[in-house]
Amino acid sequence: MPAAYLIVQIKITREKGWPEYRQKVSELFAQHGGRYLVRGGPVEVLEGSYDGRRLVVFEFSSIEVIHSVWNSPEYADVKKLREGAGELDVWAVPGV
């Protein structure tokens, strides 16, 4: 089964809640085998455009694991920590 990737673009609109959210989501995703591949940092545009949002990429063992943790009651609780504090686009992509 190929690995799968959770890709997130984030625009933080209020800092309150983010430090605790980052810690809790890191711990929860790690419990499910998720690991950071990209955690912010500078983006070098080689072609096209970049809108300046923070970019985060997690690797998981499968797309099913991503769905499981994303839809879990544990993540629902963690997600509340960032409600109203940012705008996110989140994609799940299977590897090859």
Side-chain angles (χ1 to χ4, degrees):
M1 191 176 314
Y5 303 91
L6 187 69
I7 302 167
V8 186
Q9 285 189 308
I10 305 166
K11 178 182 177 186
I12 297 173
T13 57
R14 186 187 73 228
E15 190 62 36
K16 183 181 178 194
W18 279 100
E20 187 178 3
Y21 171 77
R22 278 191 294 264
Q23 177 186 352
K24 298 279 186 186
V25 82
S26 295
E27 292 168 0
L28 178 63
F29 286 5
Q31 290 171 7
H32 294 270
R35 67 182 185 104
Y36 283 104
L37 296 181
V38 175
R39 190 175 183 182
V43 172
E44 180 182 351
V45 177
L46 301 177
E47 187 172 330
S49 62
Y50 170 62
D51 65 7
R53 291 183 288 169
R54 181 179 175 88
L55 181 65
V56 178
V57 179
F58 288 93
E59 180 182 55
F60 286 87
S61 61
S62 71
I63 199 83
E64 291 80 14
V65 172
I66 290 174
H67 292 158
S68 174
V69 73
W70 188 260
N71 296 309
S72 71
E74 294 84 7
Y75 183 65
D77 288 341
V78 170
K79 189 175 177 180
K80 290 176 186 174
L81 297 170
R82 66 166 170 83
E83 284 182 356
E87 301 166 5
L88 280 76
D89 288 318
V90 184
W91 304 284
V93 181
V96 293

